[in-house]
């Protein structure tokens, strides 16, 4: 631990860890996203910089590593911040939920607004929402797009598995058919195997009938 006694190095790392950014869409100060990404990157970069430098240049190497690592980490965190804000703005009032977990974003599209009952054909009323997503996905093109279909437990497992897969494939086909790079997209059905609510009542089953789009770093 003696390599971390340099007060300048500690100050730089702690400053980056405590850093806050302003979301350009919401105007809020956010310390828990890009600031954390930058801080983690800074500490990682500092460790690598110190380890790869000669003894006399170890502090200097750590500071350079902290700066480079902080910029890289904070850059992706800020990218996700802006993408999340754009999605929330674009999808407001559509019924599609936006959830964030670390550096991954999830869009939850309820089955009642995406597909007719027992159908894998996208509802015509949902096309405007998908068109908006196409524009966002083209603007923010550093994400993989994992599309997962889900059903409730009513009916046979084989039927639900097939329906969920065809629904996921329908959304994927629409996105790729409108200019989103197919290499970014994967699609599969989970059937009734990943419920988010109880299948014992209609309200829960309605929540389980959904399509999710998971956005992850490429």
């Amino acid at each position: 631990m003696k390599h971390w006694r340099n007060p300048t190095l500690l100050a730089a790392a702690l400053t980056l860890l405590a850093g806050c950014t302003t979301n350009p869409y919401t105007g809020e100060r956010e310390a828990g996203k890009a600031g954390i990404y930058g801080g983690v990157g800074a500490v990682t970069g500092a460790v690598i910089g110190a380890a790869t430098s000669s003894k006399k240049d170890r502090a200097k190497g750590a500071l350079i590593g902290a700066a480079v690592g902080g910029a890289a980490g904070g850059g992706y965190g800020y990218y996700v911040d802006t993408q999340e804000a754009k999605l929330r703005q674009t999808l407001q009032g559509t019924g599609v939920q936006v959830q964030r977990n670390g550096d991954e974003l999830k869009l939850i599209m309820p089955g009642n607004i995406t597909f007719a009952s027992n159908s894998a054909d996208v509802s015509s009323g949902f096309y405007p929402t998908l068109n908006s997503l196409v524009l966002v996905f083209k603007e923010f093109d550093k994400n993989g797009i994992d599309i997962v279909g889900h059903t409730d437990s009513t009916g046979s497992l084989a039927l639900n598995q097939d329906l969920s897969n065809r629904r996921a494939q329908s959304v994927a086909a629409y996105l790729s058919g409108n200019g989103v790079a197919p290499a970014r997209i994967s699609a599969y059905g989970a059937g009734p195997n990943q419920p988010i609510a109880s299948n014992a009542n209609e309200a829960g089953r309605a929540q389980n009938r959904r399509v999710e789009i998971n956005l992850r770093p490429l």
Side-chain angles (χ1 to χ4, degrees):
M1 294 299 295
K2 64 181 180 179
H3 298 150
W4 290 93
R5 291 176 181 172
N6 185 297
T8 305
L9 172 58
L10 283 173
L14 291 173
T15 298
L16 285 165
L17 277 169
C20 293
T21 61
T22 300
N23 191 305
Y25 293 97
T26 65
E28 297 177 348
R29 296 286 288 173
E30 298 177 334
K33 295 177 181 177
I36 289 177
Y37 284 105
V40 171
V43 172
T44 303
V47 171
I48 294 173
T52 56
S53 301
S54 64
K55 186 174 182 180
K56 68 176 182 177
D57 292 329
R58 190 161 286 146
K60 180 180 178 181
L63 287 172
I64 293 173
V68 173
Y76 188 74
Y78 183 76
Y79 175 89
V80 178
D81 289 348
T82 55
Q83 184 182 33
E84 177 188 8
K86 185 64 175 285
L87 285 167
R88 291 188 185 280
Q89 181 185 65
T90 300
L91 296 172
Q92 186 174 10
T94 65
V96 178
Q97 301 176 46
V98 181
Q99 294 183 355
R100 178 164 180 177
N101 182 21
D103 60 356
E104 296 186 352
L105 293 169
K106 176 181 290 187
L107 310 179
I108 301 176
M109 304 184 295
N112 65 316
I113 64 174
T114 50
F115 299 95
S117 179
N118 295 318
S119 172
D121 296 327
V122 176
S123 298
S124 59
F126 197 63
Y127 287 146
T129 300
L130 286 180
N131 292 336
S132 296
L133 286 178
V134 166
L135 295 177
V136 176
F137 293 162
K138 287 181 178 179
E139 178 182 354
F140 294 88
D141 59 359
K142 294 180 173 59
N143 300 101
I145 302 169
D146 298 333
I147 304 168
V148 187
H150 301 269
T151 68
D152 61 28
S153 61
T154 304
S156 72
L157 178 61
L159 184 150
N160 284 323
Q161 181 64 45
D162 178 67
L163 179 62
S164 66
N165 186 66
R166 288 189 293 117
R167 286 181 168 181
Q169 295 291 343
S170 290
V171 174
Y174 190 89
L175 295 179
S176 61
N178 285 275
V180 179
R184 297 173 59 195
I185 301 173
S186 69
Y188 68 94
N193 297 320
Q194 297 176 15
I196 57 175
S198 172
N199 278 305
N201 55 71
E202 176 51 36
R205 289 192 292 272
Q207 292 183 62
N208 291 332
R209 297 190 293 268
R210 68 200 190 279
V211 173
E212 294 180 353
I213 296 180
N214 301 300
L215 303 176
R216 52 172 175 73
L218 283 173

